[in-house]
Coordinates of all heavy atoms in Angstrom, one line a residue:
M1 N 0.9 -1.2 0.0 CA 0.0 0.0 0.0 C 0.9 1.3 0.0 O 1.8 1.3 0.8 CB -0.9 0.0 1.3 CG -2.1 0.9 1.1 SD -3.4 0.6 2.3 CE -2.6 0.8 3.8
P2 N 0.6 2.2 -0.9 CA 1.5 3.4 -0.9 C 1.2 4.3 0.3 O 0.1 4.2 0.9 CB 1.0 4.1 -2.2 CG -0.4 3.7 -2.4 CD -0.5 2.2 -1.8
A3 N 2.2 5.0 0.7 CA 2.1 5.9 1.9 C 1.1 7.0 1.6 O 1.0 7.5 0.5 CB 3.4 6.5 2.2
V4 N 0.3 7.3 2.6 CA -0.7 8.3 2.5 C -0.4 9.4 3.5 O 0.0 9.2 4.6 CB -2.1 7.7 2.9 CG1 -3.2 8.8 2.9 CG2 -2.5 6.6 1.9
Y5 N -0.4 10.7 3.0 CA 0.0 11.8 3.8 C -1.2 12.7 4.2 O -2.1 12.8 3.4 CB 1.1 12.6 3.1 CG 2.3 11.8 3.0 CD1 2.6 11.2 1.7 CD2 3.1 11.5 4.1 CE1 3.7 10.4 1.6 CE2 4.3 10.7 3.9 CZ 4.6 10.2 2.7 OH 5.7 9.4 2.6
C6 N -1.2 13.2 5.3 CA -2.2 14.0 5.9 C -2.4 15.3 5.2 O -1.5 16.0 5.0 CB -1.9 14.3 7.4 SG -3.1 15.4 8.2
P7 N -3.7 15.6 4.8 CA -3.9 16.9 4.1 C -3.8 18.1 5.0 O -3.6 19.2 4.5 CB -5.4 16.7 3.6 CG -5.8 15.3 3.8 CD -4.9 14.8 4.9
E8 N -3.9 17.8 6.3 CA -3.8 18.9 7.3 C -2.4 19.3 7.6 O -2.0 20.5 7.6 CB -4.5 18.5 8.6 CG -6.0 18.1 8.4 CD -6.9 19.3 8.0 OE1 -6.6 20.4 8.4 OE2 -7.9 19.0 7.4
C9 N -1.5 18.3 7.9 CA -0.2 18.6 8.4 C 0.9 17.9 7.6 O 2.1 18.2 7.8 CB -0.1 18.2 9.8 SG 0.0 16.5 10.1
G10 N 0.5 17.1 6.6 CA 1.6 16.4 5.8 C 2.2 15.2 6.5 O 3.1 14.6 6.0
G11 N 1.7 14.8 7.7 CA 2.2 13.7 8.4 C 1.8 12.4 7.8 O 0.8 12.4 7.0
E12 N 2.4 11.3 8.1 CA 2.0 10.0 7.5 C 0.8 9.5 8.2 O 0.6 9.7 9.4 CB 3.2 9.0 7.7 CG 3.1 7.9 6.7 CD 4.3 6.9 6.9 OE1 5.4 7.4 7.1 OE2 4.1 5.7 6.7
M13 N -0.1 8.9 7.4 CA -1.3 8.4 7.9 C -1.3 6.9 7.8 O -0.7 6.3 7.0 CB -2.5 8.9 7.1 CG -2.6 10.4 7.1 SD -4.0 11.1 6.2 CE -5.2 11.2 7.6
F14 N -2.1 6.2 8.7 CA -2.2 4.8 8.6 C -3.7 4.5 8.6 O -4.5 5.2 9.1 CB -1.5 4.1 9.9 CG -2.1 4.4 11.2 CD1 -3.1 3.6 11.7 CD2 -1.7 5.6 11.9 CE1 -3.7 3.9 13.0 CE2 -2.2 5.9 13.1 CZ -3.2 5.1 13.7
F15 N -4.0 3.3 8.0 CA -5.4 2.9 7.9 C -5.9 2.2 9.2 O -5.2 1.4 9.7 CB -5.6 2.0 6.7 CG -7.0 1.7 6.4 CD1 -7.8 2.7 5.8 CD2 -7.6 0.5 6.6 CE1 -9.1 2.5 5.5 CE2 -8.9 0.2 6.3 CZ -9.7 1.3 5.7
D16 N -7.0 2.7 9.7 CA -7.6 2.1 10.9 C -8.8 1.3 10.5 O -9.9 1.9 10.3 CB -7.9 3.3 11.9 CG -8.4 2.8 13.2 OD1 -8.0 1.7 13.6 OD2 -9.2 3.5 13.9
P17 N -8.7 0.0 10.4 CA -9.8 -0.9 9.9 C -11.1 -0.7 10.7 O -12.1 -0.6 10.1 CB -9.2 -2.3 10.0 CG -7.8 -2.1 10.0 CD -7.5 -0.8 10.7
P18 N -11.1 -0.7 12.0 CA -12.3 -0.5 12.7 C -13.1 0.8 12.4 O -14.3 0.8 12.3 CB -12.0 -0.5 14.2 CG -10.6 -1.1 14.3 CD -9.9 -0.8 13.0
A19 N -12.3 1.9 12.1 CA -13.0 3.1 11.8 C -13.1 3.2 10.3 O -13.8 4.2 9.8 CB -12.1 4.3 12.3
K20 N -12.6 2.3 9.5 CA -12.6 2.3 8.1 C -12.1 3.7 7.6 O -12.6 4.3 6.6 CB -14.0 2.1 7.5 CG -14.5 0.7 7.7 CD -15.7 0.4 6.9 CE -16.2 -1.0 6.9 NZ -16.8 -1.4 8.2
S21 N -11.1 4.2 8.3 CA -10.6 5.5 7.9 C -9.1 5.6 8.1 O -8.5 4.7 8.7 CB -11.2 6.6 8.9 OG -12.6 6.7 8.7
Y22 N -8.5 6.6 7.5 CA -7.1 6.9 7.7 C -6.9 7.8 8.8 O -7.7 8.8 9.0 CB -6.5 7.5 6.4 CG -6.4 6.5 5.3 CD1 -7.4 6.4 4.4 CD2 -5.2 5.8 5.2 CE1 -7.3 5.5 3.3 CE2 -5.1 4.9 4.1 CZ -6.1 4.7 3.2 OH -6.0 3.8 2.2
V23 N -6.0 7.6 9.7 CA -5.7 8.4 10.8 C -4.3 8.9 10.7 O -3.3 8.2 10.4 CB -5.8 7.6 12.2 CG1 -5.6 8.5 13.4 CG2 -7.2 6.9 12.2
C24 N -4.1 10.2 11.0 CA -2.8 10.9 10.9 C -2.0 10.6 12.2 O -2.5 10.7 13.3 CB -3.0 12.4 10.8 SG -1.4 13.2 10.8
R25 N -0.7 10.1 12.0 CA 0.1 9.9 13.1 C 0.5 11.1 13.8 O 0.9 11.1 15.0 CB 1.4 9.2 12.6 CG 1.3 7.7 12.4 CD 2.6 7.2 12.0 NE 2.5 6.1 11.0 CZ 2.3 4.8 11.3 NH1 2.2 4.5 12.5 NH2 2.2 3.9 10.4
S26 N 0.6 12.2 13.1 CA 1.1 13.5 13.7 C 0.0 14.3 14.4 O 0.1 14.6 15.6 CB 1.7 14.4 12.6 OG 2.8 13.7 12.0
C27 N -1.1 14.5 13.7 CA -2.2 15.4 14.3 C -3.4 14.6 14.7 O -4.3 15.2 15.3 CB -2.5 16.6 13.4 SG -3.4 16.1 11.9
G28 N -3.5 13.4 14.3 CA -4.7 12.6 14.7 C -5.9 12.8 14.0 O -7.0 12.3 14.3
V29 N -5.9 13.6 12.9 CA -7.1 13.8 12.1 C -7.5 12.5 11.4 O -6.7 11.6 11.1 CB -6.8 15.0 11.1 CG1 -6.0 14.4 9.9 CG2 -8.2 15.5 10.6
L30 N -8.8 12.4 11.3 CA -9.4 11.1 10.7 C -10.1 11.4 9.4 O -10.9 12.3 9.3 CB -10.4 10.6 11.8 CG -10.8 9.1 11.7 CD1 -10.5 8.5 13.0 CD2 -12.2 9.0 11.3
Y31 N -9.7 10.7 8.4 CA -10.3 10.9 7.1 C -10.8 9.6 6.5 O -10.0 8.6 6.5 CB -9.3 11.4 6.1 CG -9.2 12.9 6.1 CD1 -8.3 13.6 6.9 CD2 -9.9 13.7 5.2 CE1 -8.2 15.0 6.9 CE2 -9.8 15.1 5.2 CZ -8.9 15.7 6.0 OH -8.8 17.1 6.0
S32 N -12.0 9.5 6.0 CA -12.4 8.3 5.3 C -11.7 8.3 3.9 O -11.2 9.4 3.5 CB -14.0 8.4 5.0 OG -14.3 9.4 4.1
R33 N -11.7 7.2 3.3 CA -11.0 7.1 2.0 C -11.5 8.2 1.0 O -10.8 8.8 0.3 CB -11.2 5.7 1.4 CG -10.2 5.3 0.4 CD -10.7 4.2 -0.4 NE -10.5 2.9 0.2 CZ -9.4 2.1 -0.1 NH1 -8.5 2.5 -0.9 NH2 -9.3 0.9 0.4
E34 N -12.9 8.4 1.0 CA -13.5 9.3 0.1 C -13.1 10.8 0.4 O -12.8 11.5 -0.5 CB -15.0 9.2 0.1 CG -15.6 7.9 -0.5 CD -15.4 6.7 0.5 OE1 -15.2 6.9 1.7 OE2 -15.5 5.6 0.0
R35 N -13.2 11.1 1.7 CA -12.8 12.4 2.1 C -11.4 12.7 1.8 O -11.0 13.9 1.5 CB -13.2 12.7 3.6 CG -14.6 13.0 3.8 CD -14.8 13.6 5.2 NE -14.0 14.8 5.4 CZ -13.6 15.2 6.6 NH1 -13.9 14.5 7.7 NH2 -12.9 16.3 6.7
L36 N -10.5 11.7 2.0 CA -9.1 11.9 1.8 C -8.9 12.2 0.3 O -8.1 13.1 -0.1 CB -8.4 10.7 2.2 CG -6.8 10.8 2.3 CD1 -6.5 11.8 3.4 CD2 -6.2 9.4 2.6
A37 N -9.6 11.4 -0.6 CA -9.4 11.7 -2.0 C -9.9 13.1 -2.4 O -9.2 13.8 -3.2 CB -10.2 10.6 -2.8
E38 N -11.0 13.5 -1.8 CA -11.5 14.8 -2.0 C -10.5 15.9 -1.6 O -10.3 16.9 -2.3 CB -12.8 15.0 -1.2 CG -14.1 15.0 -2.0 CD -15.3 15.1 -1.1 OE1 -15.3 16.0 -0.2 OE2 -16.1 14.2 -1.2
A39 N -10.0 15.7 -0.4 CA -9.1 16.7 0.2 C -7.8 16.8 -0.7 O -7.3 17.9 -1.0 CB -8.7 16.3 1.6
R40 N -7.4 15.7 -1.2 CA -6.2 15.7 -2.1 C -6.4 16.4 -3.4 O -5.6 17.1 -3.9 CB -5.7 14.2 -2.3 CG -5.1 13.7 -1.0 CD -4.7 12.2 -1.2 NE -3.6 12.1 -2.1 CZ -2.7 11.1 -2.0 NH1 -2.9 10.2 -1.1 NH2 -1.7 11.1 -2.8
E41 N -7.6 16.1 -4.0 CA -8.0 16.8 -5.2 C -8.0 18.3 -5.0 O -7.5 19.0 -5.8 CB -9.4 16.3 -5.6 CG -9.4 15.6 -6.9 CD -10.7 14.9 -7.2 OE1 -11.7 15.6 -7.3 OE2 -10.8 13.7 -7.2
K42 N -8.6 18.7 -3.9 CA -8.7 20.2 -3.6 C -7.3 20.7 -3.5 O -7.0 21.8 -4.0 CB -9.5 20.3 -2.3 CG -10.5 21.5 -2.4 CD -11.3 21.5 -1.1 CE -12.5 20.6 -1.1 NZ -13.2 20.5 0.2
Q43 N -6.4 20.0 -2.8 CA -5.0 20.4 -2.6 C -4.4 20.7 -4.0 O -3.7 21.6 -4.2 CB -4.3 19.4 -1.8 CG -3.5 19.9 -0.6 CD -2.9 18.8 0.2 OE1 -3.0 17.6 -0.2 NE2 -2.4 19.1 1.3
F44 N -4.6 19.7 -4.9 CA -3.9 19.8 -6.2 C -4.4 21.0 -7.0 O -3.7 21.7 -7.6 CB -4.1 18.5 -7.0 CG -3.2 17.4 -6.5 CD1 -3.7 16.1 -6.2 CD2 -1.9 17.6 -6.3 CE1 -2.9 15.1 -5.8 CE2 -1.0 16.6 -5.9 CZ -1.5 15.4 -5.6
S45 N -5.7 21.2 -6.9 CA -6.3 22.3 -7.7 C -5.8 23.6 -7.1 O -5.6 24.6 -7.9 CB -7.8 22.2 -7.7 OG -8.4 22.4 -6.4
V46 N -5.6 23.7 -5.8 CA -5.1 24.9 -5.2 C -3.7 25.2 -5.7 O -3.3 26.3 -6.1 CB -5.2 24.8 -3.7 CG1 -4.3 25.9 -3.0 CG2 -6.6 25.0 -3.2
A47 N -2.9 24.1 -5.7 CA -1.5 24.2 -6.2 C -1.5 24.7 -7.6 O -0.6 25.5 -8.0 CB -0.8 22.9 -6.0
D48 N -2.4 24.2 -8.4 CA -2.4 24.6 -9.8 C -2.8 26.0 -10.0 O -2.2 26.7 -10.8 CB -3.5 23.7 -10.6 CG -2.9 22.4 -11.0 OD1 -1.7 22.2 -10.8 OD2 -3.7 21.5 -11.4
D49 N -3.7 26.5 -9.1 CA -4.1 27.8 -9.2 C -3.0 28.8 -8.8 O -2.8 29.8 -9.4 CB -5.3 28.0 -8.2 CG -6.3 29.1 -8.6 OD1 -6.6 29.2 -9.8 OD2 -6.6 30.0 -7.7
E50 N -2.2 28.4 -7.8 CA -1.1 29.2 -7.3 C -0.1 29.3 -8.5 O 0.5 30.3 -8.7 CB -0.5 28.6 -6.1 CG -1.2 29.1 -4.8 CD -0.7 28.4 -3.6 OE1 0.3 27.7 -3.6 OE2 -1.4 28.5 -2.6
K51 N 0.1 28.2 -9.1 CA 1.1 28.2 -10.2 C 0.7 29.1 -11.3 O 1.4 29.9 -11.9 CB 1.2 26.7 -10.8 CG 2.6 26.2 -10.8 CD 2.7 24.9 -11.4 CE 2.4 23.7 -10.4 NZ 2.3 22.4 -11.0
A52 N -0.6 29.1 -11.7 CA -1.2 29.9 -12.7 C -1.0 31.4 -12.3 O -0.7 32.3 -13.1 CB -2.6 29.6 -13.0
Q53 N -1.3 31.7 -11.0 CA -1.2 33.0 -10.5 C 0.3 33.5 -10.6 O 0.5 34.7 -11.0 CB -1.6 33.1 -9.1 CG -3.0 33.8 -8.9 CD -3.5 33.6 -7.5 OE1 -2.7 33.7 -6.6 NE2 -4.8 33.5 -7.4
A54 N 1.2 32.7 -10.3 CA 2.6 33.0 -10.3 C 3.0 33.3 -11.8 O 3.8 34.3 -12.0 CB 3.5 31.9 -9.8
K55 N 2.5 32.6 -12.7 CA 2.8 32.7 -14.1 C 2.3 34.1 -14.6 O 3.0 34.8 -15.2 CB 2.1 31.6 -14.9 CG 2.9 31.1 -16.1 CD 2.1 29.9 -16.7 CE 2.9 29.4 -17.9 NZ 2.2 28.2 -18.4
R56 N 1.0 34.4 -14.2 CA 0.4 35.7 -14.5 C 1.3 36.8 -14.0 O 1.5 37.8 -14.7 CB -1.0 35.8 -13.9 CG -2.1 35.7 -14.9 CD -3.4 36.2 -14.5 NE -3.8 35.7 -13.2 CZ -4.4 34.5 -13.0 NH1 -4.8 33.8 -14.1 NH2 -4.8 34.1 -11.8
K57 N 1.7 36.7 -12.7 CA 2.5 37.8 -12.1 C 3.8 38.0 -12.8 O 4.2 39.1 -13.1 CB 2.8 37.3 -10.7 CG 2.9 38.5 -9.7 CD 3.0 38.0 -8.3 CE 2.7 39.1 -7.3 NZ 2.5 38.6 -5.9
R58 N 4.5 36.9 -13.2 CA 5.7 37.0 -14.0 C 5.5 37.7 -15.3 O 6.3 38.5 -15.7 CB 6.3 35.6 -14.3 CG 7.3 35.1 -13.2 CD 8.2 34.1 -13.8 NE 7.5 32.9 -14.3 CZ 7.1 31.9 -13.6 NH1 7.3 31.9 -12.3 NH2 6.5 30.9 -14.2
R59 N 4.4 37.4 -15.9 CA 4.1 38.1 -17.2 C 3.9 39.6 -17.0 O 4.3 40.4 -17.8 CB 2.8 37.4 -17.8 CG 3.1 37.1 -19.3 CD 1.9 36.5 -20.0 NE 0.7 36.3 -19.3 CZ 0.2 35.1 -19.2 NH1 0.7 34.0 -19.7 NH2 -1.0 34.9 -18.6
E60 N 3.2 39.9 -15.9 CA 2.9 41.3 -15.6 C 4.2 42.1 -15.4 O 4.4 43.2 -15.8 CB 2.0 41.4 -14.4 CG 0.5 41.5 -14.8 CD -0.3 41.3 -13.6 OE1 0.0 41.7 -12.5 OE2 -1.4 40.7 -13.7
V61 N 5.1 41.4 -14.6 CA 6.4 42.0 -14.3 C 7.2 42.2 -15.6 O 7.8 43.3 -15.8 CB 7.2 41.2 -13.3 CG1 8.7 41.6 -13.2 CG2 6.6 41.2 -11.9
L62 N 7.1 41.2 -16.4 CA 7.9 41.3 -17.7 C 7.3 42.5 -18.6 O 8.1 43.3 -19.1 CB 7.7 40.0 -18.5 CG 8.6 39.9 -19.7 CD1 10.1 39.8 -19.4 CD2 8.2 38.7 -20.6
K63 N 6.0 42.6 -18.6 CA 5.3 43.6 -19.3 C 5.8 45.0 -18.8 O 6.1 45.9 -19.6 CB 3.8 43.5 -19.2 CG 3.1 43.9 -20.5 CD 1.6 43.4 -20.4 CE 0.7 44.5 -20.0 NZ -0.7 43.9 -19.9
W64 N 5.7 45.1 -17.5 CA 6.1 46.4 -16.8 C 7.6 46.7 -17.1 O 7.9 47.8 -17.5 CB 5.9 46.2 -15.3 CG 6.6 47.3 -14.5 CD1 6.0 48.5 -14.3 CD2 7.8 47.3 -13.9 NE1 6.9 49.3 -13.5 CE2 8.0 48.5 -13.3 CE3 8.8 46.3 -13.8 CZ2 9.2 48.8 -12.5 CZ3 10.0 46.6 -13.1 CH2 10.2 47.8 -12.4
W65 N 8.4 45.7 -17.0 CA 9.8 45.9 -17.3 C 10.1 46.4 -18.7 O 10.9 47.3 -19.0 CB 10.6 44.6 -17.0 CG 12.0 44.7 -17.0 CD1 12.8 45.2 -16.0 CD2 12.9 44.4 -18.1 NE1 14.1 45.2 -16.4 CE2 14.2 44.6 -17.6 CE3 12.7 43.8 -19.3 CZ2 15.4 44.4 -18.4 CZ3 13.8 43.6 -20.1 CH2 15.1 43.9 -19.7
L66 N 9.4 45.7 -19.7 CA 9.5 46.1 -21.1 C 9.0 47.5 -21.3 O 9.7 48.3 -22.0 CB 8.8 45.1 -22.0 CG 9.5 43.7 -22.1 CD1 8.6 42.8 -22.8 CD2 10.8 43.8 -22.8
S67 N 7.9 47.8 -20.8 CA 7.3 49.2 -21.0 C 8.2 50.2 -20.4 O 8.4 51.3 -21.0 CB 5.9 49.2 -20.5 OG 5.9 49.1 -19.1
D68 N 8.8 49.9 -19.3 CA 9.7 50.8 -18.6 C 10.9 51.1 -19.5 O 11.4 52.2 -19.6 CB 10.1 50.3 -17.3 CG 10.6 51.4 -16.3 OD1 9.9 52.4 -16.3 OD2 11.6 51.2 -15.6
K69 N 11.4 50.0 -20.1 CA 12.6 50.1 -20.9 C 12.3 51.1 -22.1 O 13.1 51.9 -22.4 CB 12.9 48.7 -21.5 CG 13.8 47.9 -20.5 CD 15.3 48.2 -20.9 CE 16.2 47.4 -19.9 NZ 17.5 47.9 -19.9
T70 N 11.2 50.9 -22.7 CA 10.9 51.7 -23.9 C 10.7 53.1 -23.6 O 11.1 54.0 -24.4 CB 9.6 51.1 -24.7 OG1 8.6 51.1 -23.7 CG2 9.8 49.8 -25.3
R71 N 10.2 53.4 -22.3 CA 10.1 54.7 -21.9 C 11.4 55.4 -21.7 O 11.6 56.6 -22.0 CB 9.3 54.7 -20.6 CG 8.3 55.9 -20.5 CD 7.6 55.9 -19.2 NE 6.7 54.7 -19.1 CZ 6.6 54.0 -18.0 NH1 7.2 54.4 -16.9 NH2 5.8 53.0 -17.9
E72 N 12.4 54.7 -21.2 CA 13.7 55.2 -21.0 C 14.4 55.6 -22.3 O 15.2 56.6 -22.3 CB 14.6 54.2 -20.2 CG 14.4 54.4 -18.7 CD 15.2 53.3 -17.9 OE1 16.3 52.9 -18.4 OE2 14.6 52.9 -16.9
S73 N 14.3 54.8 -23.3 CA 15.1 55.0 -24.5 C 14.4 56.0 -25.4 O 13.3 56.3 -25.4 CB 15.3 53.7 -25.2 OG 14.0 53.1 -25.6
Ligands
ZN1 ZN1 -2.0 15.4 10.3

């Protein structure tokens, strides 16, 4: 079974058969398999969004830098 990491703190989680859930070794949070999958999906989409934002920001800086250059010359 691949290692599962806690969406809250990033700690390693183990499967608790009586609870039918994953439990975090670090913070003790309890996630069902479904909720864990949901949380991970959300995490990935947030990361994608941040990446897109960083890209936009870089483009804006480049535009500003270029426009500044043309103004100087
Ligand atoms: Zn945790």
Side-chain angles (χ1 to χ4, degrees):
M1 199 162 62
V4 175
Y5 295 100
C6 173
E8 304 289 332
C9 74
E12 203 177 320
M13 301 185 92
F14 65 92
F15 190 70
D16 186 26
K20 291 194 176 68
S21 296
Y22 287 93
V23 183
C24 176
R25 278 184 215 275
S26 301
C27 72
V29 77
L30 199 126
Y31 272 90
S32 72
R33 203 200 274 264
E34 291 77 17
R35 276 198 57 207
L36 193 65
E38 252 174 54
R40 289 177 70 152
E41 242 168 67
K42 224 174 276 172
Q43 229 174 10
F44 281 132
S45 64
V46 165
D48 280 352
D49 208 46
E50 274 171 14
K51 234 183 279 171
Q53 256 173 31
K55 216 174 180 176
R56 251 199 310 274
K57 210 169 196 171
R58 267 203 304 276
R59 227 180 1 238
E60 269 165 33
V61 167
L62 188 71
K63 215 165 98 183
W64 166 81
W65 188 79
L66 286 172
S67 66
D68 202 44
K69 272 270 181 196
T70 51
R71 216 179 298 140
E72 267 176 38
S73 56

